[in-house]
Amino acid sequence: MTEVERTIFGRTQEIGALVGADLARRRVDVRISETMRLNETGDPVLGVWEGAERRIVIRRDQLSGLTHYAGTLLHEIGHMTSGTSDGSLAFESELSRLLGVTAAAVLRH
């Protein structure tokens, strides 16, 4: 990884903490991958929650900026905390909850 990528990746625990997801305590491993599989429509996947392995894998290009990385990481945390998949109402509700928690965490400062 480049220095910029390492700096962004180094904020992983802080990003998780915004939504109360202590990834270290939960023993969730966050990894970066050069390549990812394609989804059912043939588009590249940006990240994935692998529950059985307790692992989040994020495509390396998401480290190009904190906004991209944080968004993808929080999306995968949403899968982790909800146990639901993309496109479901339950997952959309969890993403909305995480957005609210994030806003509340930031606005308290």
Side-chain angles (χ1 to χ4, degrees):
M1 280 191 259
T2 68
E3 186 176 335
V4 170
E5 290 171 336
R6 282 192 302 276
T7 299
I8 292 170
F9 185 70
R11 311 243 359 228
T12 299
Q13 295 300 322
E14 184 181 356
I15 294 164
L18 284 172
V19 294
D22 185 338
L23 299 172
R25 185 181 59 77
R26 290 176 180 244
R27 296 183 180 171
V28 172
D29 188 23
V30 179
R31 295 188 182 177
I32 302 299
S33 178
E34 292 285 340
T35 60
M36 298 288 281
R37 67 177 187 248
L38 301 178
N39 66 16
E40 58 279 349
T41 62
D43 296 316
V45 172
L46 303 179
V48 64
W49 160 243
E50 298 174 332
E53 292 83 9
R54 306 209 50 76
R55 177 172 59 212
I56 293 171
V57 181
I58 298 178
R59 201 171 71 194
R60 184 176 178 183
D61 68 348
Q62 296 304 289
L63 291 171
S64 65
L66 185 58
T67 300
H68 294 295
Y69 180 68
T72 302
L73 178 60
L74 289 170
H75 179 100
E76 298 312 325
I77 288 172
H79 287 300
M80 178 187 78
T81 57
S82 70
T84 58
S85 60
D86 284 325
S88 69
L89 182 57
F91 181 64
E92 295 297 324
S93 293
E94 180 64 0
L95 286 180
S96 294
R97 185 187 75 79
L98 292 177
L99 284 169
V101 171
T102 301
V106 171
L107 294 173
R108 285 186 194 130
H109 292 296

